[in-house]
Amino acid sequence: MTGSAVTRLPVSVGTLDDFLRGAVDMTASGATNAALGQTMQDYQQLDLPPGTLVAIALPNGRDLLTHYFATVLSGLVPLLISPATSLSRVRELARHLNIGAYVAGERFAAKVGGGRTFAVGGRWLAWMPLDDDHPERYEPGDVVMLTSGTSGTFSACVNRFDALLRNARRHNAATGVRAGDTVLVILPLYYSYAIVAQALGALTAGARLVIGGPPFTTDGYRATITDHGIDISAVTPALARQLLAEDRPLPRRLRTLTVGGDQLPGAQVGELLARHDGELYLTYGLTEAGPRVSTLAAHQEPRPRWDSVGLPLPDVAVGLRNVRPDGIGELVVESDTVLRRKAGQFHHQPLLAPGRIATGDLFSIDDGYLFFAGRIRDFVVIRGEKVSLLSMRTAAQAVPGVVRARTAVINEGDDPIIELVVHVADPARTTPETMTRQLGRVLMRGERPHRVRVLAEDHAQFHK
């Protein structure tokens, strides 16, 4: 590769090693706890070309972070992907993104590499032949992150590791994370929200990291906060609704709860504040922005602002384009942490100029506060009328027992059909008929779904 050279980063090898040694791994992921220095040596002995994209398909845990940091320090480029990614999808990702190596458990690595596997940092690396004519090229210091699916099946963002650290520091400043805190991460680290705002956030703050993973249970979550002295935790709205389904307060030990990954309705923000005797932050971001954009300190704000996602982070500028008469337009974000470029297959290029992106999200802005109105594609025209899919999902998620909701638009004739799929805690109590009645009380006839499907929530899975 590059001999024993180490890529220069704004954080030292010693700092990263101390951070990893101090992290608590609660997962049952068969962790090897390989040392960072030894893992770096293993990578450097493979003679991979500088800038090689390395897909890391490991479960949440210390090993994942060790390989993540070791690749960056060794002049390689990490791409975190779900360990549940199928073999066919791995090969498609490799074709679109020009992946040169794949790290996983021994059995799956052997399937990917066809016998060309090497022991690296207690795990296994499968060599994947690079296409010399492939348009995708990466540089040492780059990091690649998959998008959440809104920008294309095989779409990814190319960013710089130092930019992610800057974004993490700004998120820390907005949410009050400081040295000596203990931060719990239970969301998948292959999501930009978890790896940047939580893992890198803990690193840059000098905080201790406790790493959990699926399955999420409310009892297990509460016990972890108490047993490990958790100060800071982040959840998605879906997980927050599981906590709200129980009529009991959150552990007093927890100082700060942050909600991100999707919008939480203002009424449920109020419920969380009633259950949590501490600080509550709502945060908005997207992978393309690197990723966090804005934060609302809900515990300090009046009720009308609970429906917002707060104010932009320091050194992040926002504006609207193509503004409608009702004041809603597409959010534009300008920052030194946005992606360098898109890689792979994607539907549109979000970069308007270096450091400036069009988000594809609709917002209004009131006194500097951002109010989310949906994605541009969250509106469907039926019989000449615009129907908001976001409003439909929001109404469904306000029904007791609903953990999350999603919509599907099906073209079956002149007008599309909207199917609402709700994931509930107890399908015996929340049926399609009860959901239809509940929605009929809050939605106009033209705003309602054509059909409702109810599924039991799988608590063993994470949802962004």
Side-chain angles (χ1 to χ4, degrees), residues 277-297:
D277 187 22
E279 300 172 11
L280 176 64
Y281 296 93
L282 311 181
T283 177
Y284 163 76
L286 66 165
T287 306
E288 290 84 348
R292 309 326 296 162
V293 172
S294 68
T295 301
L296 180 80

Side-chain angles (χ1 to χ4, degrees), residues 226-265:
T226 302
D227 295 345
H228 290 274
I230 303 299
D231 301 293
I232 313 288
S233 173
V235 296
T236 62
L239 299 185
R241 281 187 281 272
Q242 291 187 43
L243 294 169
L244 289 175
E246 301 177 335
D247 188 17
R248 53 176 173 159
L250 290 174
R252 294 181 64 87
R253 166 71 205 196
L254 184 67
R255 186 182 82 238
T256 298
L257 180 65
T258 303
V259 182
D262 200 354
Q263 187 185 31
L264 188 69

Side-chain angles (χ1 to χ4, degrees), residues 69 269 282 313 452:
F69 293 136
V269 173
L282 311 181
L313 298 178
V452 176

Side-chain angles (χ1 to χ4, degrees), residues 147-153 155 288 342 345-348 375 377:
T147 62
S148 60
T150 56
S151 304
T153 304
S155 172
E288 290 84 348
K342 268 292 183 69
Q345 173 194 19
F346 53 90
H347 296 311
H348 73 286
R375 291 193 61 81
R377 68 179 193 174

Side-chain angles (χ1 to χ4, degrees), residues 2 5 28 90 120 124 235 251 263 274 304 313 362 364 369 399 424 435 439:
T2 56
V90 167
V120 178
W124 291 84
V235 296
Q263 187 185 31
L313 298 178
L362 296 173
S364 62
Y369 287 78
V399 175
V424 303
M435 280 299 306
L439 294 175

Side-chain angles (χ1 to χ4, degrees), residues 128-378:
M128 304 181 78
L130 289 170
D131 181 355
D132 292 336
D133 297 323
H134 200 288
E136 298 297 350
R137 290 287 189 274
Y138 309 97
E139 301 174 2
D142 282 349
V143 171
V144 178
M145 299 183 290
L146 293 179
T147 62
S148 60
T150 56
S151 304
T153 304
F154 299 104
S155 172
C157 300
V158 182
N159 214 316
R160 297 294 290 177
F161 184 70
D162 58 354
L164 301 186
L165 293 176
R166 282 197 300 275
N167 191 271
R169 292 189 186 98
R170 291 168 185 169
H171 178 78
N172 286 345
T175 56
V177 182
R178 51 185 180 261
D181 281 341
T182 298
V183 177
L184 173 65
V185 55
I186 56 173
L187 305 177
L189 285 165
Y190 53 83
Y191 286 159
S192 61
Y193 178 37
I195 189 66
V196 178
Q198 296 169 261
L200 297 186
L203 169 67
T204 56
R208 183 177 69 123
L209 190 67
V210 175
I211 309 169
F216 175 85
T217 66
T218 56
D219 287 341
Y221 178 71
R222 293 171 185 278
T224 298
I225 291 172
T226 302
D227 295 345
H228 290 274
I230 303 299
D231 301 293
I232 313 288
S233 173
V235 296
T236 62
L239 299 185
R241 281 187 281 272
Q242 291 187 43
L243 294 169
L244 289 175
E246 301 177 335
D247 188 17
R248 53 176 173 159
L250 290 174
R252 294 181 64 87
R253 166 71 205 196
L254 184 67
R255 186 182 82 238
T256 298
L257 180 65
T258 303
V259 182
D262 200 354
Q263 187 185 31
L264 188 69
Q268 293 176 354
V269 173
E271 291 182 53
L272 268 183
L273 286 170
R275 312 277 180 87
H276 174 51
D277 187 22
E279 300 172 11
L280 176 64
Y281 296 93
L282 311 181
T283 177
Y284 163 76
L286 66 165
T287 306
E288 290 84 348
R292 309 326 296 162
V293 172
S294 68
T295 301
L296 180 80
H299 56 286
Q300 297 177 340
E301 297 286 357
R303 168 64 183 85
R305 286 180 177 160
W306 293 350
D307 286 306
S308 83
V309 290
L311 299 169
L313 298 178
D315 298 312
V316 175
V318 299
L320 302 179
R321 70 172 186 171
N322 303 325
V323 181
R324 306 184 319 211
D326 58 4
I328 293 174
E330 182 182 12
L331 186 72
V332 174
V333 174
E334 188 167 352
S335 168
D336 59 359
T337 70
V338 304
L339 80 168
R340 296 177 64 199
R341 61 181 174 85
K342 268 292 183 69
Q345 173 194 19
F346 53 90
H347 296 311
H348 73 286
Q349 174 57 263
L351 277 170
L352 303 175
R356 192 165 185 259
I357 60 167
T359 64
D361 289 335
L362 296 173
F363 276 85
S364 62
I365 301 178
D366 183 5
D367 197 24
Y369 287 78
L370 304 179
F371 288 81
F372 183 61
R375 291 193 61 81
I376 288 178
R377 68 179 193 174
D378 264 343

